Amino acid sequence: MDFQLTARQDTITDEAALKAVQAAVAKGRELGCAMVTAVVDPGGNLVACVRPTGAFVASVGIARDKAWTAATFGLSTDDLHNAVVEPPHLHDGIASRDGVVLFGGGLPLRHEGRIVGGIGCSGGSEDQDRACAEAGMAALGLS
């Protein structure tokens, strides 16, 4: 056989995902908002999600989609937006894909240079969503 048949992919553990979610939700409380936070694996599959009491139900899907976008594209949702601004047909094509989010609050989770998942936050302003996602990432010792 002249090719490799299988490959292994590093992935975030459920314990790490829960730790990140808890840190992001706590940051949301500190900022005065009920921050829904989701963490997905590299394939975009949900690993952990918390919707704090009082959080918008719609934020569950938005947080998951932000995490999915970050993990599967390997870029923050902000960076992906910036990467596809021009030409307009590229932006429209990416933006119209199911589950893609092109506004702040989604970050890829990298360990030793490899994507191990994504975190997404929804429930506040874009700046609050970003700050909470960053807090979740920082709880894992990632930047």
Side-chain angles (χ1 to χ4, degrees):
M1 187 179 306
D2 60 349
F3 60 90
Q4 185 173 331
L5 183 63
T6 62
R8 295 186 186 264
Q9 185 172 32
D10 291 334
T11 188
I12 192 163
T13 65
D14 59 314
E15 295 93 349
L18 186 57
K19 183 174 183 169
V21 165
Q22 290 171 329
V25 169
K27 180 67 173 181
R29 286 192 181 107
E30 179 185 312
L31 297 174
C33 57
M35 187 61 61
V36 176
T37 304
V39 171
V40 300
D41 68 15
N45 303 295
L46 188 63
V47 179
C49 183
V50 170
R51 182 177 69 88
T53 303
F56 299 113
V57 173
S59 289
V60 173
I62 295 168
R64 189 220 167 264
D65 288 348
K66 288 180 181 185
W68 181 89
T69 300
T72 60
F73 282 90
L75 296 169
S76 73
T77 51
D78 286 308
D79 287 345
L80 180 60
H81 166 77
N82 293 335
V84 299
V85 166
E86 292 294 331
H89 67 276
L90 176 62
H91 182 273
D92 294 347
I94 297 293
S96 69
R97 305 282 306 162
D98 285 342
V100 172
V101 174
L102 297 177
F103 49 90
L107 297 172
L109 299 173
R110 292 182 195 279
H111 178 66
E112 298 179 350
R114 294 182 300 276
I115 300 287
V116 296
I119 186 168
C121 294
S122 178
S125 68
E126 271 190 280
D127 287 341
Q128 290 170 323
D129 291 359
R130 285 183 195 102
C132 291
E134 289 167 3
M137 195 164 70
L140 303 179
L142 305 175
S143 57

